[in-house]
mmCIF file of all heavy atoms in Angstrom:
data_model
loop_
_atom_site.group_PDB
_atom_site.id
_atom_site.type_symbol
_atom_site.label_atom_id
_atom_site.label_comp_id
_atom_site.label_asym_id
_atom_site.label_seq_id
_atom_site.Cartn_x
_atom_site.Cartn_y
_atom_site.Cartn_z
ATOM 1 N N THR S 302 1.450 -3.363 -15.501
ATOM 2 C CA THR S 302 1.457 -2.667 -16.761
ATOM 3 C C THR S 302 2.605 -1.656 -16.771
ATOM 4 O O THR S 302 3.196 -1.389 -15.722
ATOM 5 C CB THR S 302 0.097 -1.911 -16.984
ATOM 6 O OG1 THR S 302 0.014 -0.880 -16.006
ATOM 7 C CG2 THR S 302 -1.078 -2.861 -16.889
ATOM 8 N N GLU S 303 2.889 -1.082 -17.909
ATOM 9 C CA GLU S 303 3.923 -0.073 -18.026
ATOM 10 C C GLU S 303 3.599 1.097 -17.107
ATOM 11 O O GLU S 303 4.460 1.692 -16.406
ATOM 12 C CB GLU S 303 4.142 0.394 -19.447
ATOM 13 C CG GLU S 303 4.905 -0.581 -20.299
ATOM 14 C CD GLU S 303 6.384 -0.724 -19.847
ATOM 15 O OE1 GLU S 303 6.983 0.300 -19.481
ATOM 16 O OE2 GLU S 303 6.854 -1.870 -19.860
ATOM 17 N N GLU S 304 2.287 1.509 -17.086
ATOM 18 C CA GLU S 304 1.867 2.633 -16.300
ATOM 19 C C GLU S 304 2.064 2.350 -14.796
ATOM 20 O O GLU S 304 2.524 3.191 -14.035
ATOM 21 C CB GLU S 304 0.427 2.967 -16.581
ATOM 22 C CG GLU S 304 0.200 3.509 -17.972
ATOM 23 C CD GLU S 304 -1.242 3.454 -18.400
ATOM 24 O OE1 GLU S 304 -2.038 2.743 -17.771
ATOM 25 O OE2 GLU S 304 -1.590 4.104 -19.396
ATOM 26 N N GLU S 305 1.709 1.129 -14.362
ATOM 27 C CA GLU S 305 1.893 0.767 -12.968
ATOM 28 C C GLU S 305 3.362 0.710 -12.590
ATOM 29 O O GLU S 305 3.752 1.183 -11.535
ATOM 30 C CB GLU S 305 1.293 -0.609 -12.703
ATOM 31 C CG GLU S 305 -0.262 -0.605 -12.742
ATOM 32 C CD GLU S 305 -0.832 -2.004 -12.721
ATOM 33 O OE1 GLU S 305 -0.220 -2.952 -13.207
ATOM 34 O OE2 GLU S 305 -1.958 -2.110 -12.177
ATOM 35 N N ALA S 306 4.206 0.216 -13.494
ATOM 36 C CA ALA S 306 5.655 0.154 -13.240
ATOM 37 C C ALA S 306 6.198 1.563 -13.155
ATOM 38 O O ALA S 306 7.025 1.837 -12.279
ATOM 39 C CB ALA S 306 6.342 -0.636 -14.359
ATOM 40 N N ASP S 307 5.748 2.448 -14.016
ATOM 41 C CA ASP S 307 6.234 3.829 -13.979
ATOM 42 C C ASP S 307 5.813 4.507 -12.702
ATOM 43 O O ASP S 307 6.592 5.244 -12.084
ATOM 44 C CB ASP S 307 5.697 4.621 -15.200
ATOM 45 C CG ASP S 307 6.375 4.207 -16.511
ATOM 46 O OD1 ASP S 307 7.481 3.587 -16.442
ATOM 47 O OD2 ASP S 307 5.807 4.510 -17.568
ATOM 48 N N ALA S 308 4.561 4.296 -12.276
ATOM 49 C CA ALA S 308 4.077 4.900 -11.037
ATOM 50 C C ALA S 308 4.854 4.367 -9.833
ATOM 51 O O ALA S 308 5.233 5.097 -8.929
ATOM 52 C CB ALA S 308 2.566 4.606 -10.892
ATOM 53 N N LEU S 309 5.109 3.055 -9.785
ATOM 54 C CA LEU S 309 5.909 2.484 -8.681
ATOM 55 C C LEU S 309 7.324 3.015 -8.719
ATOM 56 O O LEU S 309 7.854 3.370 -7.659
ATOM 57 C CB LEU S 309 5.894 0.970 -8.768
ATOM 58 C CG LEU S 309 6.622 0.223 -7.645
ATOM 59 C CD1 LEU S 309 6.051 0.574 -6.325
ATOM 60 C CD2 LEU S 309 6.582 -1.305 -7.924
ATOM 61 N N ASP S 310 7.928 3.125 -9.894
ATOM 62 C CA ASP S 310 9.260 3.656 -9.988
ATOM 63 C C ASP S 310 9.300 5.071 -9.491
ATOM 64 O O ASP S 310 10.186 5.453 -8.766
ATOM 65 C CB ASP S 310 9.746 3.631 -11.457
ATOM 66 C CG ASP S 310 11.129 4.225 -11.625
ATOM 67 O OD1 ASP S 310 12.066 3.709 -10.997
ATOM 68 O OD2 ASP S 310 11.233 5.241 -12.364
ATOM 69 N N GLU S 311 8.314 5.892 -9.843
ATOM 70 C CA GLU S 311 8.218 7.261 -9.358
ATOM 71 C C GLU S 311 8.093 7.350 -7.872
ATOM 72 O O GLU S 311 8.803 8.126 -7.209
ATOM 73 C CB GLU S 311 7.001 7.951 -10.003
ATOM 74 C CG GLU S 311 6.835 9.394 -9.681
ATOM 75 C CD GLU S 311 7.821 10.271 -10.377
ATOM 76 O OE1 GLU S 311 8.393 9.903 -11.390
ATOM 77 O OE2 GLU S 311 8.063 11.422 -9.883
ATOM 78 N N GLU S 312 7.264 6.452 -7.286
ATOM 79 C CA GLU S 312 7.072 6.514 -5.808
ATOM 80 C C GLU S 312 8.361 6.079 -5.125
ATOM 81 O O GLU S 312 8.771 6.705 -4.135
ATOM 82 C CB GLU S 312 5.960 5.506 -5.456
ATOM 83 C CG GLU S 312 5.653 5.471 -3.996
ATOM 84 C CD GLU S 312 4.499 4.573 -3.595
ATOM 85 O OE1 GLU S 312 3.722 4.171 -4.505
ATOM 86 O OE2 GLU S 312 4.379 4.266 -2.437
ATOM 87 N N ILE S 313 9.022 5.080 -5.615
ATOM 88 C CA ILE S 313 10.278 4.607 -5.023
ATOM 89 C C ILE S 313 11.385 5.616 -5.142
ATOM 90 O O ILE S 313 12.139 5.897 -4.223
ATOM 91 C CB ILE S 313 10.690 3.239 -5.547
ATOM 92 C CG1 ILE S 313 9.683 2.138 -5.092
ATOM 93 C CG2 ILE S 313 12.052 2.847 -5.140
ATOM 94 C CD1 ILE S 313 9.875 0.820 -5.756
ATOM 95 N N THR S 314 11.494 6.210 -6.341
ATOM 96 C CA THR S 314 12.494 7.185 -6.629
ATOM 97 C C THR S 314 12.357 8.387 -5.711
ATOM 98 O O THR S 314 13.354 8.939 -5.224
ATOM 99 C CB THR S 314 12.469 7.645 -8.075
ATOM 100 O OG1 THR S 314 12.680 6.488 -8.923
ATOM 101 C CG2 THR S 314 13.500 8.669 -8.392
ATOM 102 N N ASN S 315 11.143 8.852 -5.500
ATOM 103 C CA ASN S 315 10.897 10.042 -4.676
ATOM 104 C C ASN S 315 10.719 9.756 -3.190
ATOM 105 O O ASN S 315 10.564 10.684 -2.429
ATOM 106 C CB ASN S 315 9.698 10.781 -5.225
ATOM 107 C CG ASN S 315 9.936 11.321 -6.621
ATOM 108 O OD1 ASN S 315 11.072 11.698 -6.953
ATOM 109 N ND2 ASN S 315 8.914 11.350 -7.454
ATOM 110 N N ALA S 316 10.736 8.494 -2.798
ATOM 111 C CA ALA S 316 10.554 8.145 -1.387
ATOM 112 C C ALA S 316 11.771 8.583 -0.571
ATOM 113 O O ALA S 316 12.954 8.447 -0.985
ATOM 114 C CB ALA S 316 10.325 6.653 -1.232
ATOM 115 N N ASP S 317 11.501 9.078 0.631
ATOM 116 C CA ASP S 317 12.548 9.452 1.555
ATOM 117 C C ASP S 317 12.970 8.166 2.295
ATOM 118 O O ASP S 317 12.189 7.633 3.085
ATOM 119 C CB ASP S 317 12.045 10.465 2.545
ATOM 120 C CG ASP S 317 13.103 10.864 3.585
ATOM 121 O OD1 ASP S 317 14.269 10.463 3.417
ATOM 122 O OD2 ASP S 317 12.699 11.522 4.590
ATOM 123 N N ILE S 318 14.166 7.667 2.029
ATOM 124 C CA ILE S 318 14.598 6.408 2.625
ATOM 125 C C ILE S 318 15.526 6.643 3.851
ATOM 126 O O ILE S 318 16.158 5.721 4.323
ATOM 127 C CB ILE S 318 15.260 5.480 1.600
ATOM 128 C CG1 ILE S 318 16.504 6.153 0.969
ATOM 129 C CG2 ILE S 318 14.269 5.013 0.565
ATOM 130 C CD1 ILE S 318 17.355 5.230 0.154
ATOM 131 N N THR S 319 15.604 7.883 4.257
ATOM 132 C CA THR S 319 16.403 8.209 5.419
ATOM 133 C C THR S 319 15.816 7.553 6.636
ATOM 134 O O THR S 319 14.620 7.647 6.918
ATOM 135 C CB THR S 319 16.457 9.719 5.662
ATOM 136 O OG1 THR S 319 16.883 10.359 4.490
ATOM 137 C CG2 THR S 319 17.379 10.056 6.820
ATOM 138 N N LEU S 320 16.618 6.752 7.362
ATOM 139 C CA LEU S 320 16.134 6.088 8.528
ATOM 140 C C LEU S 320 16.249 6.995 9.738
ATOM 141 O O LEU S 320 17.340 7.463 10.104
ATOM 142 C CB LEU S 320 16.925 4.795 8.775
ATOM 143 C CG LEU S 320 16.835 3.754 7.699
ATOM 144 C CD1 LEU S 320 17.747 2.568 8.049
ATOM 145 C CD2 LEU S 320 15.427 3.302 7.490
ATOM 146 N N LYS S 321 15.142 7.315 10.348
ATOM 147 C CA LYS S 321 15.163 8.138 11.525
ATOM 148 C C LYS S 321 13.989 7.741 12.415
ATOM 149 O O LYS S 321 12.856 7.565 11.916
ATOM 150 C CB LYS S 321 15.113 9.652 11.149
ATOM 151 C CG LYS S 321 13.978 10.015 10.252
ATOM 152 C CD LYS S 321 14.129 11.434 9.752
ATOM 153 C CE LYS S 321 13.075 11.647 8.676
ATOM 154 N NZ LYS S 321 13.324 12.774 7.845
ATOM 155 N N PRO S 322 14.239 7.625 13.703
ATOM 156 C CA PRO S 322 13.119 7.238 14.592
ATOM 157 C C PRO S 322 12.023 8.284 14.554
ATOM 158 O O PRO S 322 12.301 9.505 14.588
ATOM 159 C CB PRO S 322 13.789 7.200 15.964
ATOM 160 C CG PRO S 322 15.254 7.129 15.677
ATOM 161 C CD PRO S 322 15.508 7.747 14.396
ATOM 162 N N GLY S 323 10.801 7.815 14.466
ATOM 163 C CA GLY S 323 9.683 8.747 14.469
ATOM 164 C C GLY S 323 9.539 9.535 13.192
ATOM 165 O O GLY S 323 8.795 10.507 13.187
ATOM 166 N N GLY S 324 10.235 9.142 12.139
ATOM 167 C CA GLY S 324 10.110 9.849 10.872
ATOM 168 C C GLY S 324 8.750 9.700 10.204
ATOM 169 O O GLY S 324 7.858 9.086 10.797
#
Side-chain angles (χ1 to χ4, degrees):
T302 65
E303 283 294 320
E304 292 163 345
E305 291 170 328
D307 289 342
L309 182 59
D310 178 60
E311 182 75 20
E312 182 177 345
I313 292 170
T314 300
N315 295 326
D317 177 12
I318 59 170
T319 305
L320 299 177
K321 52 188 170 199

